[in-house]
Amino acid sequence: MPAQVVHAAFYNFAEGEAARHIPRAWETIPPEASVAARERGSAASLRRILGERLAGSPGLVRAAELTAKAATSAPTEGRVMYAGMRTLAVPGDPVARLWHCATMLREHRGDGHVAALVGARIGGTEAHVLSALAQGIHPPQSFGRIHHLPEERLAAVMNGLYERGLVDTDGRFTDAGRRTRQRIEALTDELAAPPYDALSPAELDELIRELEPITATLVAAGSQ
């Protein structure tokens, strides 16, 4: 896959970032090996954080089953990253399955988020600025995902947001900017719903219930 396609699919990379690594990255490790290593490492980390009791519990097994049911049921049209994840085999191990299927759901949501951003005419770097402001980071140019970009590039992004009335002269949200982000997030939530239509109300309640101790353990360990 050429760098231009990677850049388009991931959306929020700054211009030229993907091209610095693709396709040269595949000279270090082929895509298939990279995906396999990522899955092994992520499942091992999840198992370590949860501990053997929770990782081997019937609740986790059931959560993995229900997550897989949701994650493999949504339409792929217009969902580039999600469609790519759907081509990968779903692991049999419950811990690996839970991580893999949660990743599919995340990418499904991410595709919808990109669609919402495009509809609002918010570019990738601009999206990071709005996210930083929503997290209380100021100046938003100091946000870890964009602080390394050239100052002139960041200045142009901030000027563009200012000219559209989304940030003020101090680089903080205006009311219009805050409403724009709220609309984007609301539409993202709406577009993320289809996978869960595969679950009955009882199954959805069960999934939430089984995920609660897993989520609490991950949050306590500093996971996000």
Side-chain angles (χ1 to χ4, degrees), residues 54-142:
L54 187 53
S57 67
L60 184 139
V61 173
R62 182 59 174 158
E65 291 174 354
L66 292 172
T67 303
K69 183 176 180 180
T72 57
S73 299
T76 58
E77 290 83 359
R79 308 275 183 166
V80 176
M81 300 297 291
Y82 173 65
M85 287 293 300
R86 284 281 297 271
T87 68
L88 303 177
V90 177
D93 171 69
V95 173
R97 174 177 290 216
L98 179 60
W99 178 84
H100 179 88
C101 293
T103 300
M104 277 201 283
L105 291 171
R106 183 190 66 192
E107 298 301 350
H108 181 278
R109 179 183 177 83
D111 287 328
H113 190 52
V114 168
L117 289 168
V118 171
R121 297 187 298 117
I122 298 295
T125 305
E126 292 175 326
H128 284 315
V129 170
L130 299 188
S131 178
L133 290 173
Q135 295 176 59
I137 298 172
H138 191 269
Q141 300 95 310
S142 65

Side-chain angles (χ1 to χ4, degrees), residues 1-2 18 22 28 30 46 61 74 116 119 121 144 150 171 187 192 210 213 218:
M1 182 182 294
I22 303 297
T28 302
L46 183 57
V61 173
R121 297 187 298 117
L187 180 55
E210 299 297 359
L218 291 172

Side-chain angles (χ1 to χ4, degrees), residues 25-42:
W26 308 136
E27 298 173 3
T28 302
I29 180 172
E32 296 81 5
S34 176
V35 170
R38 176 173 178 257
E39 185 165 288
R40 288 195 305 271
S42 298

